[in-house]
Every structure is written in structure tokens, then in C-alpha cells.
Amino acid sequence: MNIQKIRCVDYHIISEKIPSVFDGFRILHLSDYHNHPVPGLLEAISKQNPDIIAITGDMINEHEDYQPVIPFLESLLTIAPCYMVSGNHDTWHLDYREYVRTCREKGAIFLQNERICLERNGAQIFLSGMEDVFCKTQKGMEEKLEEAFSALGKIQAFDILLFHRANLLDAFSGHGFDLVLAGHLHGGQIRLPIVGGVLAPKSGLAANARLLFPDYTGGKYRLDETTTAIVSRGTGNATLLPRMFNPPEIGVISLHAN
């Protein structure tokens, strides 16, 4: 696979809450790498000249050594600061805590139900990150979501949330985030014309989510009057079923002051 086969999608977010000094701020969105190297991926990311790189989970696979992912993360950090959250495969890994610690030691900002400030010339926007909320029951998953919402709270400034599971985006309406970046659904694994994505990961069963023809498989969505979501199709694969008509994807989100 070469660099021309990596799909790069541009998005533009316009808001009165974005300070003028952040006009043109570029966020490279990477999701679902799954310890699955894609030739040309680093070059494609570097070419976009991002201000930051936002990683929305599943950098690793639960049953594989996470160490091969670390050199890739180190290379990303030479391109731009990296902010990341967990996905289900990350949290299922037996060495998850060690993985988080290693990512932080290398210089990545790993957010676990916490928020940080990005500042330019005294102006601020915020970046929030939510830990993956996997639980074996739908009720347990809902409780984890509520705990995360409570931990983060709401703020008045422009707030970007990194979260893994796009199949849970309906729960984010009314919680005050301006932009939510997510992944998890791998673009539906197989994509068909008009229909879109066909399959969701089986881990969605715990959330009583639809596995066939799921919502939010990739692209830009409006969740409510104030919240926009952008969902990445991801770059890797965690199943025996290959990605079909669904090339690896990175997104570039440009912020614009209104």
C-alpha cells in the first residue's frame, strides 16, 4: 500500500468561541491504528503540517505486545504534540497501565477523563479526553459515561472532546462539547455505495448498538445545536475480515474563528 492509497479528509469547524489566534489551527485526527503499520502513513501525516495530533484510541491490539507501537508514537511526536485517549483494545490489554505510562514517558499527553488547556498569545481552547467506557452490560456502560461527564463537567470556552466509541455519540447531545472526535467503527469495515458502512465491531453488543449498517461510521455529524462530531474510519484492522472499499483514513480538522 502506498501513500496515494491513504485517504485524507479535510474538515472545517467555524465557531464564535474559537479565538482569532487559533484561526487555521490544524488537528490531525488518527484512530484505530491497531498496531497495523501502513506504508506511507507517517509521510502522509507529516505532509499535513498539523499543529497537534489527536489519537482517538485503539493504537494497540489487546493480545499483542504493545511495544512495536511505541516507535510509531515517537515518530508522530517529531511531527507535532500528540494527545490521546484509550479505546477498547487498549484498555483490554493486560499491560494497559504500563502502556499509558510508556506513552506519557515518551511525551504524549494521555487523557483519562480530564481536560487540558491549549494556549496561544493568552487565548485558550480546551481539549478533553474520555477513557473508554467498555462494560459487559449496557447499564454499566451508561454509568461509566455519566461518571466521565461528571468528571469533565461543562465549560464556556471552545471544548474539543477525544472519545473512542462513535456508536455512543447519541449520548453526547446536550453535554456542552463543541467538537467530538471519535473512531471505533472502522468505517463500517466494508463500504458500499449509497449504503455506507456495513459492519460495526462486535464489542458494540454490550451497548445494545446495531452491528449491521451502524450510524456514525465516518464523516461529519451534527449532534445538537452546539455539538459537531467527526468520526474517523481509522487506519488499521483488528479482525480477520479485510477492509473493503474502505482505505486507511486520516482527517485534518481546521479551526476557524467566526
Side-chain angles (χ1 to χ4, degrees):
M1 186 175 296
N2 58 37
I3 191 170
Q4 285 75 29
K5 292 187 178 181
I6 298 169
R7 184 172 184 262
C8 183
V9 186
D10 289 308
Y11 299 98
H12 297 271
I13 299 295
I14 304 171
S15 173
E16 294 178 350
K17 295 169 70 175
I18 296 173
S20 59
V21 294
F22 279 94
D23 193 84
F25 190 82
R26 291 167 66 81
I27 303 168
L28 190 294
H29 183 196
L30 175 68
S31 195
D32 297 277
Y33 179 70
H34 284 292
N35 198 7
H36 189 123
V38 176
L41 180 59
L42 281 171
E43 292 86 347
I45 292 171
S46 180
K47 187 177 179 181
Q48 298 306 316
N49 296 314
D51 290 289
I52 65 171
I53 297 172
I55 302 170
T56 53
D58 279 1
M59 279 283 278
I60 61 178
N61 280 329
E62 59 175 307
H63 297 306
E64 298 177 2
D65 185 359
Y66 75 83
Q67 287 292 341
V69 170
I70 301 305
F72 175 67
L73 177 61
E74 289 178 307
S75 295
L76 290 175
L77 285 161
T78 67
I79 297 171
C82 294
Y83 301 85
M84 58 197 302
V85 293
S86 61
N88 50 296
H89 280 264
D90 304 322
T91 58
W92 291 344
H93 201 287
L94 290 177
D95 294 327
Y96 173 58
R97 291 185 180 181
E98 181 182 308
Y99 165 66
V100 173
R101 183 170 61 250
T102 302
C103 290
R104 287 173 170 163
E105 287 173 351
K106 298 301 181 181
I109 307 299
F110 206 114
L111 299 170
Q112 297 176 297
N113 296 342
E114 53 195 326
R115 173 182 290 118
I116 63 166
C117 173
L118 303 179
E119 187 169 336
R120 274 187 169 185
N121 299 334
Q124 299 175 337
I125 62 174
F126 288 81
L127 195 64
S128 299
M130 190 176 288
E131 188 83 327
D132 185 62
V133 295
F134 177 78
C135 190
K136 292 183 179 180
T137 66
Q138 184 179 0
K139 181 179 179 181
M141 198 170 287
E142 290 171 352
E143 289 175 350
K144 283 190 174 184
L145 264 177
E146 288 306 315
E147 289 172 4
F149 287 140
S150 178
L152 289 168
K154 296 182 181 181
I155 59 173
Q156 297 301 313
F158 190 80
D159 192 16
I160 303 166
L161 175 70
L162 308 186
F163 177 69
H164 182 59
R165 295 173 179 265
N167 58 309
L168 295 181
L169 283 176
D170 285 338
F172 286 78
S173 179
H175 282 278
F177 300 106
D178 297 286
L179 176 62
V180 181
L181 304 184
H184 182 57
L185 296 181
H186 299 183
Q189 197 69 28
I190 301 167
R191 295 192 67 84
L192 300 177
I194 302 175
V195 173
V198 175
L199 297 172
K202 63 181 180 179
S203 61
L205 286 171
N208 197 29
R210 192 164 71 242
L211 298 189
L212 284 176
F213 308 109
D215 296 324
Y216 307 123
T217 57
K220 186 177 181 180
Y221 305 90
R222 193 73 171 177
L223 302 183
D224 58 32
E225 291 184 359
T226 61
T227 306
T228 298
I230 292 176
V231 178
S232 171
R233 296 185 194 176
T235 65
N237 192 20
T239 71
L240 295 176
L241 181 67
R243 296 168 66 110
M244 298 178 65
F245 315 114
N246 183 24
E249 179 184 277
I250 56 175
V252 179
I253 299 101
S254 297
L255 304 184
H256 302 282
N258 188 4

